[in-house]
């Protein structure tokens, strides 16, 4: 989904003070082998750092600047038992993934509200069409882990629960009560779970 590159590579200079659609390149003379390798996905993330029991470790242009202009990226996602990667979408990429450990219920919903899902075990793959809302739930006995790949250097993630109930500033209750056909008590309760 990203534009095609105009040269072999363009390792991102994340500190550049000017802004373009993406990142400017660091100079070729400063580019080293280290720029094209990334070990950030080798470690298990902390699934206790949020109420969902999962954690994304991102290998995108911001963590792995060598990906700049190359139109792809990967994530490691760790799941506690029962953990959920909550419904979310990636505005800039199609996602594919493979289960490395455990058992995951993977599902996505189309723009016509059709729901597709399957339980996957180790070695099995899934694909999430660009922009569609999807989730992964750990339905196995122990921990689970998946590796995902995207056709964007920075796919972005719109995480539905926090995108609606944990914004800065908060979305007015008159919007959320009407949208979900519930009272202020329900909306306030959900907001409070995310520190709102
Ligand atoms: C999984 O859905 C991911 O976004 O890595
Ligand atoms: Mn995703």
């Amino acid at each position: 989904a990203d534009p095609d590159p105009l040269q072999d590579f363009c390792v991102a200079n994340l500190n550049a003070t000017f802004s373009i659609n993406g990142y400017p390149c660091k100079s070729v003379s400063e580019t080293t082998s280290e720029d094209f390798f990334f070990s950030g996905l080798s470690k298990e993330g902390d699934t206790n750092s949020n109420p969902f029991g999962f954690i994304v470790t991102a290998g995108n242009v911001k963590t792995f600047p060598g990906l700049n202009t190359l139109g792809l990226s990967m994530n490691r996602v760790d799941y506690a038992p029962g953990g959920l990667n909550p419904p979310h979408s990636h505005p800039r990429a199609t996602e594919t993934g493979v289960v490395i450990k455990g058992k995951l219920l993977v599902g996505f919903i189309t723009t016509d509200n059709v729901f597709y899902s399957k339980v996957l075990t180790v070695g099995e793959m899934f694909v999430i069409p660009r922009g569609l809302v999807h989730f992964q739930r750990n339905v196995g006995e122990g921990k689970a882990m998946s590796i995902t790949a995207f056709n964007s250097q920075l796919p972005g993630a719109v995480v539905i629960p926090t995108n609606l109930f944990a914004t800065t500033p908060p979305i007015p209750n008159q919007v959320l009560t009407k949208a979900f056909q519930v009272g202020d008590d329900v909306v306030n309760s959900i907001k409070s779970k995310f520190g709102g």
Side-chain angles (χ1 to χ4, degrees):
D2 289 2
D4 282 333
L6 301 179
Q7 61 274 306
D8 287 353
F9 59 78
C10 167
V11 176
N13 176 0
L14 300 180
N15 298 317
T17 52
F18 61 99
S19 137
I20 58 168
N21 184 21
Y23 294 98
C25 317
K26 81 188 221 183
S27 70
V28 173
S29 63
E30 287 170 22
T31 299
T32 70
S33 288
E34 286 302 309
D35 288 313
F36 301 105
F37 300 89
F38 178 63
S39 51
L41 302 194
S42 59
K43 280 195 237 47
E44 183 178 343
D46 177 12
T47 58
N48 292 314
S49 58
N50 61 77
F52 304 110
F54 90 113
I55 193 75
V56 171
T57 305
N60 61 37
V61 71
K62 293 194 174 197
T63 54
F64 183 4
L67 293 175
N68 194 39
T69 74
L70 300 181
L72 33 79
S73 58
M74 297 179 87
N75 283 343
R76 169 183 180 142
V77 190
D78 289 289
Y79 311 82
L84 173 72
N85 183 3
H88 66 280
S89 77
H90 305 288
R92 291 183 290 275
T94 291
E95 167 178 337
T96 187
V98 60
V99 179
I100 304 296
K101 180 165 55 177
K103 197 197 262 194
L104 293 177
L105 169 65
V106 180
F108 71 88
I109 304 98
T110 69
T111 56
D112 296 320
N113 299 327
V114 179
F115 174 47
Y116 296 98
S117 71
K118 187 173 178 178
V119 173
L120 299 185
T121 56
V122 171
E124 298 188 300
M125 284 180 74
F126 59 88
V127 65
I128 311 293
R130 178 175 171 174
L132 298 189
V133 173
H134 60 284
F135 63 82
Q136 290 94 3
R137 164 97 196 205
N138 180 359
V139 293
E141 299 289 315
K143 295 176 182 179
M145 194 267 272
S146 59
I147 296 285
T148 45
F150 304 85
N151 63 338
S152 171
Q153 65 180 25
L154 193 64
V158 175
V159 182
I160 306 289
T162 50
N163 205 248
L164 291 177
F165 293 98
T167 57
T168 309
I171 298 173
N173 277 21
Q174 61 173 335
V175 174
L176 297 172
T177 54
K178 193 86 168 170
F180 290 98
Q181 299 287 294
V182 296
D184 286 294
D185 52 337
V186 174
V187 167
N188 290 338
S189 166
I190 298 173
K191 282 182 172 174
S192 72
K193 299 287 196 302
F194 301 116

